[in-house]
Amino acid sequence: MALSTQTITTGFLLPSIHSAPPFFTQQPNPSTQSIATEQWVRLILTYARHRKLFVLRVEDTETGGSDWGEILRNERINRKVLPSHLSSILEAMVAKNVAAYDPPKQTRSVLLYWRLPEEWADVLHEWATSTGQLNTILTFYDITDPPIESPLSNIPVPLLRKAIAILVKSGRAQSIGVADGEGVRFFTPSR
């Protein structure tokens, strides 16, 4: 079978490497494995952004019908990523700062940074500005589950906290304790 790209049901275009059987197994040559890992990292982050997925678990390799099944498996060539291989890919992603183990102190689940926390901070502040939320106290729920879908809809709280911490450091926000938990107030950036 020749290597070819494929558009899957979600409209995502899989790269041609996805139709190569060796892509799904760990390679004995460290140089070859390094290149394959880079391609996996790129594929995972691009797919996550396309689908707005924030979490990837080692178990997703075994779960049929998971959000990740389309890229962790290729039925046409009867291949799937084994849990140990995905584990090493996740480890590489964490080392590159494009993912973080979540919850911390385990290595089977990561929070994906298809946008870095600094980029989320900019998106968050831009959203607060464009929706007239400056100098208003908002709960995390107000941000992650707004009445009108936004780029921040369903953003995981750990990632939201990191973005807010960046805004607090730069003087564009203030963390506030509210009755329901955590909140934030956004400010106009000082010039």
Side-chain angles (χ1 to χ4, degrees):
M1 169 184 248
L3 298 184
S4 62
T5 59
Q6 178 190 8
T7 302
I8 49 182
T9 56
T10 58
F12 183 77
L13 180 66
L14 289 170
S16 59
I17 190 72
H18 195 266
S19 60
F23 186 55
F24 289 84
T25 57
Q26 285 186 284
Q27 299 302 305
N29 180 304
S31 177
T32 304
Q33 182 56 44
S34 174
I35 292 166
T37 298
E38 280 299 314
Q39 291 171 321
W40 269 113
V41 168
R42 195 172 321 120
L43 174 59
I44 287 167
L45 292 174
T46 306
Y47 182 77
R49 185 178 197 122
H50 175 77
R51 297 274 319 270
K52 279 195 86 176
L53 300 174
F54 291 98
V55 176
L56 178 57
R57 295 174 185 85
V58 172
E59 291 75 33
D60 289 327
T61 62
E62 299 294 329
T63 311
S66 81
D67 288 333
W68 293 97
E70 291 182 311
I71 67 165
L72 298 178
R73 299 172 180 271
N74 187 333
E75 303 298 333
R76 295 181 309 149
I77 60 172
N78 195 27
R79 291 287 191 269
K80 71 176 185 175
V81 176
L82 294 176
S84 60
H85 188 196
L86 182 57
S87 214
S88 71
I89 294 167
L90 298 182
E91 184 180 334
M93 293 180 81
V94 170
K96 292 177 176 298
N97 255 352
V98 293
Y101 289 120
D102 188 60
K105 298 184 178 158
Q106 56 76 45
T107 59
R108 297 192 59 81
S109 176
V110 295
L111 187 59
L112 299 166
Y113 296 159
W114 41 269
R115 277 191 179 132
L116 295 173
E118 296 79 10
E119 294 171 306
W120 279 113
D122 291 340
V123 168
L124 178 57
H125 197 271
E126 175 55 36
W127 170 81
T129 303
S130 68
T131 58
Q133 304 290 344
L134 294 180
N135 294 313
T136 304
I137 297 174
L138 298 169
T139 65
F140 285 11
Y141 178 80
D142 294 329
I143 297 167
T144 63
D145 195 17
I148 297 170
E149 178 107 2
S150 86
L152 299 155
S153 295
N154 301 316
I155 185 173
V157 171
L159 186 52
L160 180 60
R161 276 193 195 103
K162 287 181 185 216
I164 289 170
I166 291 165
L167 292 174
V168 167
K169 255 187 176 173
S170 67
R172 296 183 288 166
Q174 173 187 20
S175 289
I176 297 172
V178 293
D180 297 359
E182 300 171 89
V184 63
R185 179 183 300 152
F186 300 98
F187 304 116
T188 305
S190 55
R191 304 241 182 250

